[in-house]
Amino acid sequence: MHIALNPDGTELVVTIPAVFRRRGSRRLILAPDVPLLDEKPAPQTKVDDVLLKAVVKAFHWQEMIDDGRYADSHDLAAGEKVDRSYASRVVRLTLLAPDIVEAILDGTQPRDLTLEKLIRGFPRLWSEQRRLYGFPQPEPDTSGEAGGRRP
């Protein structure tokens, strides 16, 4: 928006950039920051600190197992002085689909996706996780390349 006096100083000129759109027989005038009717607004981000910390802990613990510091989640539980069941359920969070983990890190996960819900268990198949928690399924790879490598 731009506000200025005209050259002779008798009028105030306000310039507002706008977009004109036709929707059927109607015309809409939209300000630049207003989404079009058929556009979805940007998702609101709300980081769930409890869920975020658990996911970070899960990947850290899994890395400790992978590096050989602990043999398994039961050994990890003893070493970290936590309940064996809790350690197993937290480490299981590393089996979430990558896009679900990314949404948790960004704070764009569905509000009803909580640590309490995930700790109770979730499907191992990423497609089932996405369906269960309301995430879109990724587009199939039509490039003919498997795993991003050339044959």
Side-chain angles (χ1 to χ4, degrees), residues 4-89:
L5 285 172
N6 70 349
D8 64 359
T10 60
E11 294 179 1
L12 184 63
V13 178
V14 178
T15 306
I16 302 173
V19 176
F20 294 85
R21 296 280 186 221
R22 185 178 284 274
R23 296 282 186 254
S25 62
R26 297 177 25 202
R27 283 191 181 188
L28 299 174
I29 302 173
L30 303 172
D33 294 330
V34 177
L36 298 175
L37 292 178
D38 55 354
E39 290 180 352
K40 291 182 180 178
Q44 297 293 325
T45 60
K46 174 80 171 86
V47 175
D48 180 338
D49 289 333
V50 173
L51 180 55
L52 176 65
K53 288 176 184 176
V55 168
V56 170
K57 185 182 294 185
F59 280 92
H60 175 67
W61 283 356
Q62 183 63 53
E63 184 177 341
M64 290 165 58
I65 292 169
D66 293 343
D67 289 346
R69 184 167 172 193
Y70 296 111
D72 55 24
S73 61
H74 293 145
D75 189 28
L76 175 125
E80 296 295 310
K81 297 178 177 52
V82 295
D83 183 70
R84 288 172 46 171
S85 174
Y86 172 75
S88 295
R89 287 179 285 149

Side-chain angles (χ1 to χ4, degrees), residues 86-107:
Y86 172 75
S88 295
R89 287 179 285 149
V90 169
V91 169
R92 194 177 316 139
L93 295 175
T94 61
L95 301 176
L96 286 170
D99 51 322
I100 295 176
V101 172
E102 187 175 329
I104 292 168
L105 297 176
D106 294 343

Side-chain angles (χ1 to χ4, degrees), residues 126-140:
W126 291 350
S127 59
E128 288 298 310
Q129 293 173 14
R130 291 181 184 110
R131 184 192 56 73
L132 181 63
Y133 301 125
F135 285 84
Q137 296 293 335
E139 296 294 321

